[in-house]
């Protein structure tokens, strides 16, 4: 190690050392800023597509049956006085479940759900999501894909 | 009388000759040097491409049965991937509307396009295989010891980059296979949330959500995801992989050439390696890199190209129907080298897709630091005791994996037996993680009974490798529609 001259005060650092530290510090700082800035840039400012889904008149759907809406990956269920919407996206890893006998099945990893969307077996950690259904002023059904509701909360018609 | 050219022309001729000479001499050096050893050594030390070799190497390095040429094959495959990839970029359009039809154009319209695409696809698959086998070779010959630990770590990073390159390339055709493999893959990354949710830290620490939106640029696979995967696939990852590969090669030379056993000199002198033509700095036998090493490398290159060209001629790269975001194929299977992970995530998304792979890569990275024994370098399995440990670990892994997975398939698992079990236990104690736990315990037992860290890591590495193979095989052959288990693939119902 380089020692300062004996008559120097013990905490005085040499000019070179000082400049070296400044240089190293500003390089590190600049590096962190560049990294942080590029990561921040790469994250999209808007992530969710929260457009409500318009699905037409309830009368156009068959009674007492799940109807699959391919464009928005959900099932619409119309009963005599109510309409409800069940998300078809498997809460495991995002595949689209299919309606089979007695419930729903995910083709990717074999999760099974009953007619209520409740988890029966498989790797999914929770049940399928029920989504909020509203009625637009013109009478059309509107599903809000980001608003989860409990299984009993249906739209009365 | 012959007319002398004008002075300007003379200068031009001279400069052209000088540039040409310096290019061939110092840069390419493609002309066979004069026959003296001195000339040959100079050829290597003065050429840009050949300076990755020392001008003299140990003849043991040329034994095919020791290296199997796997590292070189991986390197050549990477090079072929760069060339074919650039060719594909002439026509490929990274847009959700046009990607699929541009691949169709490449396959059915462009002259030679199908062959180039096949080559690119099979070279990518081949590289995954050769990189894995290369790692196994380096591990079983103990070549991570004696100052080679840095190169081992670089190698593990290269394995990771190879897998990432394959995965990002997978989305680009925008067919059903691509779309659903990437939907599943990015949701696996997102499943870190399952874990942070349980810890209650998602609000301020959300690595799963961060990486997922970094990759997708949104909340599902769409145009933004495609352009990001394209960028990663053609610029960022190849650049990183290329740089690391060069460092990897350079380190071989800095580490004193390829690893070799302590008795390599005697082996060679008994005439079982190449024939030494002189002696190196330590008085050890050595051989000129030009031409011996170059011939060997050229041979590996030719074998690689021949095999790849044959495969690309005979087998077409798959292209399914165009991606349909509302109807996954049934079963929706990942590429074969991720089917082991897909089988594991069918037990638990976070444990199988994140925790176990993370543990696997961490263990790989720390192998040289767990095992600090130095006397085993360069011998396959470190001799008879290592072979025995490898054999018994392979058998143990086979039995425990098949046994536990069999129980899970036949009788269900914890959450079927104990309905109210907390989610955390369900996640941590799934069949996959129990199997991994068993491998770890077996490795510990080996360490206790033999007292050798080398034998312990041989046990861990072998059982992980066997487990990986088994899970991949289960996912590949025995999983049918709805990811149901079928003994006989012929019994699977048709689509």
């Amino acid at each position: 190690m380089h020692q300062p001259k004996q008559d120097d005060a013990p905490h005085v650092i040499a000019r070179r050392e000082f400049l070296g530290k400044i240089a190293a510090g500003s390089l590190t700082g600049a590096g962190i800023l560049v990294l942080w800035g590029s990561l921040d840039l790469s994250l999209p400012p808007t992530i969710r597509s929260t457009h409500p889904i318009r699905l037409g008149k309830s009368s156009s759907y068959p009674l007492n049956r799940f109807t699959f809406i391919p464009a928005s990956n959900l099932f619409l269920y119309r009963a005599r006085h109510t309409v409800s919407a069940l998300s078809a996206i498997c809460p495991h890893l995002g595949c689209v479940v299919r309606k089979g006998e007695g419930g729903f099945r995910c083709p990717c990893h074999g999760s099974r759900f009953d007619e209520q969307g409740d988890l029966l077996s498989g790797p999914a950690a929770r049940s399928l999501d029920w989504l909020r259904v509203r009625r637009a002023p013109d009478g059309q059904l509107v599903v809000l894909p980001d608003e989860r509701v409990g299984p009993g909360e249906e739209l009365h018609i | 009388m012959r007319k002398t050219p004008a002075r300007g022309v003379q200068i031009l001729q001279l400069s052209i000759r000088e540039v040409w000479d310096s290019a061939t001499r110092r840069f390419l050096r493609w002309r066979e040097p004069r026959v003296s050893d001195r000339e040959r050594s100079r050829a290597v030390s003065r050429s840009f491409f050949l300076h990755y070799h020392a001008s003299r190497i140990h003849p043991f390095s040329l034994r095919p049965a020791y290296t199997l040429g796997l590292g070189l094959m991986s390197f050549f495959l990477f090079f072929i991937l760069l060339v074919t990839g650039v060719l594909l970029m002439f026509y490929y359009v990274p847009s959700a509307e046009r990607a699929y039809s541009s691949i169709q154009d490449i396959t059915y319209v462009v002259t030679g396009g199908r062959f180039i695409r096949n080559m690119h696809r099979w070279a990518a698959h081949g590289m995954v295989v050769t990189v894995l086998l290369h790692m196994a070779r380096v591990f079983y010959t103990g070549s991570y010891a004696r100052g080679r630990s840095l190169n081992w770590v670089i190698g593990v990073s290269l394995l990771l980059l190879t897998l990432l390159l394959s995965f990002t390339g997978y989305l680009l055709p925008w067919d059903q296979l691509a779309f659903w493999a990437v939907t599943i893959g990015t949701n696996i990354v997102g499943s870190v949330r399952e874990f942070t949710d349980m810890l209650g830290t998602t609000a301020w620490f959300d690595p799963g959500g961060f990486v997922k939106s970094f990759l997708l640029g949104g909340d599902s696979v769409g145009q933004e995801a495609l352009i990001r995967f394209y960028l990663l696939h053609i610029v960022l990852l190849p650049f990183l992989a290329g740089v690391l590969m060069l460092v990897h090669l350079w380190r071989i030379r800095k580490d004193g050439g390829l690893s070799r056993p302590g008795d390599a000199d005697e082996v060679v002198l008994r005439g079982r390696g190449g024939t030494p033509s002189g002696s190196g700095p330590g008085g050890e036998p050595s051989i000129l890199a030009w031409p011996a090493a170059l011939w060997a490398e050229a041979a590996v290159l030719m074998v690689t190209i021949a095999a790849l060209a044959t495969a690309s001629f005979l087998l077409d790269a798959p292209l399914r129907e165009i991606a349909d975001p509302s109807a996954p194929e049934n079963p929706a299977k990942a590429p074969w080298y991720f089917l082991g992970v897909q089988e594991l995530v069918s037990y638990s998304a976070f444990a199988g897709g994140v925790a176990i792979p993370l543990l696997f890569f961490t263990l790989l990275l720390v192998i040289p630091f767990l095992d600090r024994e130095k006397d085993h370098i360069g011998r396959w399995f470190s001799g008879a005791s290592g072979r025995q440990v490898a054999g018994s670990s392979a058998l143990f892994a086979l039995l425990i994996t098949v046994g536990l997975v069999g129980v899970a398939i036949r009788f269900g698992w914890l959450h079927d037996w104990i309905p109210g079990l907390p989610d955390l236990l369900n996640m941590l104690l799934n069949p996959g993680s129990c199997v991994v736990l068993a491998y770890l315990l077996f490795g510990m037992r080996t360490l206790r009974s033999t007292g050798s860290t080398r034998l312990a890591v041989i046990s861990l590495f072998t059982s992980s490798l066997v487990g990986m193979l088994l899970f991949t095989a289960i996912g590949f052959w025995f999983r049918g529609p709805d990811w149901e288990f079928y003994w006989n693939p012929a019994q699977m119902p048709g689509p």
Side-chain angles (χ1 to χ4, degrees):
Chain A
M1 283 292 289
H2 168 74
Q3 288 287 331
K5 282 179 210 154
Q6 290 296 318
D7 51 349
D8 281 349
H11 291 299
V12 169
I13 56 173
R15 191 177 58 136
R16 272 188 187 197
E17 200 183 336
F18 173 73
L19 289 175
K21 278 185 177 162
I22 293 276
S26 45
L27 268 180
T28 316
I32 290 172
L33 279 177
V34 165
L35 196 68
W36 181 61
S38 348
L39 281 179
D40 208 32
L41 178 142
S42 68
L43 288 184
T46 53
I47 290 199
R48 295 205 151 261
S49 49
T50 50
H51 305 296
I53 303 160
R54 300 172 76 84
L55 292 175
K57 302 276 186 196
S58 61
S59 55
S60 57
Y61 295 93
L63 260 180
N64 298 328
R65 175 177 305 173
F66 282 103
T67 310
F68 182 54
I69 317 286
S72 24
N73 284 336
L74 56 85
F75 290 97
L76 203 70
Y77 188 84
R78 176 179 165 223
R80 185 176 292 274
H81 298 296
T82 60
V83 173
S84 44
L86 180 68
S87 166
I89 295 172
C90 179
H92 179 227
L93 291 176
C95 283
V96 176
V97 298
R98 286 163 193 214
K99 181 79 179 69
E101 277 180 32
F104 302 89
R105 282 175 167 206
C106 178
C108 294
H109 305 99
S111 294
R112 287 157 187 252
F113 308 88
D114 66 8
E115 291 274 355
Q116 294 301 309
D118 288 334
L119 180 66
L120 289 176
S121 66
R126 55 189 173 84
S127 303
L128 294 174
D129 295 321
W130 289 92
L131 306 173
R132 171 79 68 201
V133 189
R134 290 240 172 86
R135 200 187 337 233
D138 61 358
Q140 282 200 44
L141 295 174
V142 174
V143 175
L144 306 175
D146 285 341
E147 204 173 320
R148 293 180 198 159
V149 296
E153 292 181 56
E154 298 140 327
L155 175 74
H156 290 270
I157 48 174
Chain B
M1 199 177 118
R2 195 156 161 256
K3 210 176 123 194
T4 46
R7 189 161 169 71
V9 178
Q10 272 182 346
I11 290 175
L12 195 68
Q13 278 176 341
L14 274 176
S15 342
I16 290 176
R17 165 161 302 175
E18 196 171 320
V19 168
W20 174 252
D21 280 358
S22 96
T24 51
R25 269 211 323 272
R26 301 223 168 82
F27 199 72
L28 285 169
R29 195 71 224 195
W30 55 275
R31 257 183 268 178
E32 174 81 22
R34 306 276 178 267
V35 281
S36 79
D37 283 4
R38 189 181 137 76
E39 275 284 334
R40 291 179 175 202
S41 303
R42 273 160 57 92
V44 168
S45 60
R46 286 175 66 180
S47 131
F48 175 76
F49 284 112
L50 299 184
H51 82 271
Y52 275 101
H53 302 283
S55 49
R56 305 188 77 89
I57 58 169
H58 198 286
F60 191 85
S61 306
L62 294 177
R63 307 185 84 200
Y66 184 67
T67 62
L68 308 172
L70 289 163
L72 268 181
M73 276 182 210
S74 313
F75 176 76
F76 291 142
L77 286 173
F78 181 73
F79 187 74
I80 293 171
L81 282 163
L82 287 184
V83 174
T84 51
V86 167
L87 289 176
L88 292 173
M89 280 162 63
F90 276 95
Y91 289 98
Y92 178 76
V93 187
S95 119
E97 281 82 38
R98 292 177 59 194
Y100 184 76
S101 59
S102 66
I103 296 282
Q104 277 182 322
D105 284 350
I106 289 171
T107 312
Y108 301 113
V109 183
V110 174
T111 313
R114 181 202 298 258
F115 185 71
I116 293 297
R117 175 165 178 255
N118 291 350
M119 267 189 118
H120 195 73
R121 173 66 69 111
W122 303 139
H125 285 204
M127 193 177 159
V128 172
V129 175
T130 54
V131 167
L132 279 171
L133 289 177
H134 174 58
M135 178 179 74
R137 191 286 288 178
V138 169
F139 175 81
Y140 283 122
T141 55
S143 304
Y144 51 79
R146 297 206 194 197
R148 289 180 168 84
S149 50
L150 174 63
N151 224 12
W152 170 265
V153 169
I154 294 171
V156 174
S157 322
L158 280 168
L159 169 67
L160 189 65
L161 282 172
T162 307
L163 292 174
L164 286 176
L165 273 164
S166 286
F167 181 65
T168 49
Y170 219 70
L171 181 64
L172 304 185
W174 205 249
D175 62 348
Q176 280 286 70
L177 211 60
F179 186 88
W180 290 103
V182 170
T183 300
I184 293 169
T186 47
N187 275 311
I188 287 175
V189 177
S191 74
V192 178
R193 271 202 182 149
E194 277 181 26
F195 189 65
T196 47
D197 277 347
M198 268 175 212
L199 301 177
T201 58
T202 309
W204 51 272
F205 178 68
D206 181 19
F210 175 80
V211 179
K212 194 179 160 188
S213 47
F214 173 80
L215 285 176
L216 292 185
D219 57 355
S220 59
V221 179
Q223 175 61 58
E224 288 76 16
L226 180 56
I227 201 88
R228 277 161 192 245
F229 273 62
Y230 184 63
L231 175 73
L232 288 170
H233 186 73
I234 66 161
V235 180
L236 284 178
L237 295 173
F239 177 75
L240 275 178
V243 169
L244 280 184
M245 238 171 254
L246 295 185
V247 178
H248 198 60
L249 290 172
W250 172 74
R251 281 303 314 183
I252 297 175
R253 188 171 169 185
K254 290 285 137 184
D255 292 336
L258 295 185
S259 67
R260 52 188 174 272
D263 61 351
D265 297 0
E266 292 97 87
V267 171
V268 165
L269 290 176
R270 267 186 269 125
R272 288 167 61 198
T275 319
S277 65
S279 51
E284 66 207 17
S286 77
I287 195 167
L288 282 164
W290 183 302
L294 294 181
W295 286 131
E297 284 159 11
V300 175
L301 176 64
M302 299 213 343
V303 168
T304 310
I305 289 183
L308 188 63
T310 313
S312 311
F313 190 71
L314 296 176
L315 300 170
D316 280 340
L319 184 65
R320 306 280 177 88
E321 300 91 69
I322 191 167
D324 178 357
S326 66
E329 289 189 324
N330 193 1
K333 288 196 179 183
W336 61 266
Y337 40 85
F338 285 127
L339 281 180
V341 173
Q342 194 175 359
E343 176 65 21
L344 288 176
V345 298
S346 78
Y347 311 130
S348 155
F350 174 71
V354 181
I356 293 176
L358 215 58
L359 182 72
F360 178 69
F361 270 100
T362 314
L363 276 178
L364 282 184
L365 283 176
V366 300
I367 279 176
F369 312 102
L370 287 179
D371 165 33
R372 310 198 71 110
E373 293 170 26
K374 289 188 165 56
D375 48 346
H376 55 62
I377 194 167
R379 277 184 303 146
W380 280 94
F381 298 99
S382 311
S385 53
R387 261 195 296 278
Q388 201 189 348
V389 165
S392 59
S393 308
L395 189 66
F396 171 78
L398 180 74
L399 293 178
I400 196 88
T401 312
V402 171
L404 286 185
V405 174
V407 168
I409 288 168
R410 183 75 183 77
F411 303 107
W413 202 250
L414 292 178
H415 54 266
D416 304 311
W417 306 332
I418 318 164
L421 203 66
D423 286 348
L424 189 66
L425 283 181
N426 261 330
M427 185 202 284
L428 294 181
L429 291 180
N430 69 74
S433 42
C434 289
V435 165
V436 171
L437 199 66
Y439 299 164
L440 287 174
L441 290 175
F442 196 80
M444 303 276 228
R445 208 194 68 105
T446 312
L447 180 62
R448 269 235 302 282
S449 62
T450 63
S452 156
T453 50
R454 170 65 179 159
L455 293 180
V457 290
I458 286 187
S459 161
L460 269 180
F461 189 86
T462 310
S463 40
S464 313
L465 222 56
V466 170
M468 210 158 74
L469 278 176
L470 284 173
F471 282 117
T472 308
I474 295 172
F476 192 83
W477 279 300
F478 298 109
R479 292 295 184 176
D482 297 342
W483 209 246
E484 297 261 24
F485 184 86
Y486 290 90
W487 268 116
N488 182 354
Q491 293 168 343
M492 290 176 193

